[in-house]
Amino acid sequence: MTTLRRDIQIIALALLLLSGCSPKYKYVYIEDAPRDKEMAIANNYSTTIFPGDQLYIYTYSQTQIAVQPFNEETREATITDSQQKRVTVKNKDIKGYIVDGNGNIQFPVLGDINTTGLTLDGLAREIEARLIEGRYVKDPLVTVSLMNFRVTVVGEVTKPQLLHGSGNRMTILEALAKCGDVTMDGIRTNVKVIRTNGSAQTIDSIDLTSKTMLNSPYYYLHSGDIVYVEPTYRKKRKAWRDEDWPRYLNMGAQTVRIAYHIVYYYYVINR
């Protein structure tokens, strides 16, 4: 009886050790952040303009007629109708301004404007300065925004997809929420972000369970970012078991069958 009790204790201890060695996954976002306390968040979101960006530019003024040539909505186009008469129509097809490979946009009246190294606000101030300097508009107020802000989210999320934002910024939590959040099989402590800056590309990670996420340069996503949520080891093991285990089982069965025939041939037939 004493021996049986000792064996049970050994088995229980072994099970406890095995459970302690099993992988543990964190599911709670920002679990180490203090509650009911303010935290400073660095303003890390980028509004830097890159080639390929599609920009929407609008100019305001107290004298709206003065800014008509600079706005796509109010800029008039002259066409010829079926009776060969010249008429003017309002432009309703807003295409914006595509930044070319050299970082230039072609702006009405002002001509080429180089955006290299400029932010959206920086470009707005540059256009305002040129309008005033050229005496086109006395009191211009220019706003610039992205028309093609996009982020790709793949991996262990409910609905992987390409997201199109309506503003100039998006946090990684907003992007994940739009995709139905990370699944229970996704690693939240090592979410990878692939970022392209001009001709360079970087890959880094962010820990969604730590408050350090809030000051990460990847908390605010940039246009063109790719977010990848890696599956847990448990999910990988399950995939291996579901997909590869039958193949390995069949290979093992074939090996045993071949070994049996070899043993039978040498030790039974040749005896």
Side-chain angles (χ1 to χ4, degrees), residues 18-38:
L18 287 173
S19 64
C21 295
S22 62
K24 296 183 181 299
Y25 306 107
K26 295 183 177 181
Y27 300 104
V28 180
Y29 293 122
I30 326 177
E31 62 179 353
D32 60 346
R35 299 300 185 257
D36 300 324
K37 291 185 179 180
E38 291 186 355

Side-chain angles (χ1 to χ4, degrees), residues 31 47 72 113 120 191 205 258:
E31 62 179 353
T47 56
E72 287 187 88
I113 300 178
L120 298 177
V191 177
S205 60
I258 293 172

Side-chain angles (χ1 to χ4, degrees), residues 34-227:
R35 299 300 185 257
D36 300 324
K37 291 185 179 180
E38 291 186 355
M39 294 180 59
I41 300 178
N43 189 7
N44 287 321
Y45 72 90
S46 174
T47 56
T48 304
I49 299 171
F50 293 103
D53 283 347
Q54 185 179 8
L55 307 178
Y56 173 73
I57 302 176
Y58 193 85
T59 305
Y60 300 86
S61 172
Q62 293 291 336
T63 310
Q64 283 300 312
I65 192 172
V67 296
Q68 282 187 3
F70 306 104
N71 295 324
E72 287 187 88
E73 291 94 332
T74 57
R75 195 160 59 241
E76 294 183 340
T78 304
I79 62 173
T80 303
D81 65 6
S82 58
Q83 298 179 354
Q84 299 299 312
K85 293 181 180 180
R86 304 284 286 181
V87 296
T88 57
V89 295
K90 296 290 184 180
N91 182 16
K92 297 181 180 180
D93 186 15
I94 307 301
K95 298 180 179 179
Y97 302 88
I98 303 295
V99 182
D100 66 21
N102 296 319
N104 296 318
I105 61 169
Q106 196 169 44
F107 197 72
V109 183
L110 300 182
D112 287 344
I113 300 178
N114 189 270
T115 66
T116 304
L118 293 178
T119 63
L120 298 177
D121 289 340
L123 176 59
R125 303 294 83 79
E126 174 69 18
I127 294 175
E128 289 174 357
R130 293 196 185 194
L131 291 175
I132 294 173
E133 183 181 354
R135 297 184 178 180
Y136 300 110
V137 184
K138 291 182 179 180
D139 57 345
L141 178 60
V142 178
T143 60
V144 182
S145 59
L146 280 174
M147 296 180 67
N148 62 341
F149 190 96
R150 62 197 184 279
V151 171
T152 304
V153 183
V154 294
E156 282 299 324
V157 293
T158 303
K159 187 179 179 182
Q161 59 182 302
L162 174 63
L163 302 174
H164 294 275
S166 57
N168 296 329
R169 67 180 184 180
M170 180 186 300
T171 68
I172 191 168
L173 293 179
E174 290 172 334
L176 293 173
K178 290 177 181 291
C179 294
D181 202 3
V182 179
T183 69
M184 298 303 289
D185 291 315
I187 299 179
R188 290 164 169 78
T189 57
N190 189 34
V191 177
K192 292 180 174 59
V193 179
I194 304 171
R195 175 164 295 171
T196 302
N197 292 316
S199 59
Q201 197 170 56
T202 59
I203 302 177
D204 213 325
S205 60
I206 184 171
D207 184 356
L208 301 179
T209 68
S210 172
K211 63 184 179 182
T212 58
M213 169 186 68
L214 300 175
N215 285 316
S216 167
Y218 298 94
Y219 178 66
Y220 288 104
L221 298 175
H222 297 188
S223 181
D225 279 357
I226 300 174
V227 179

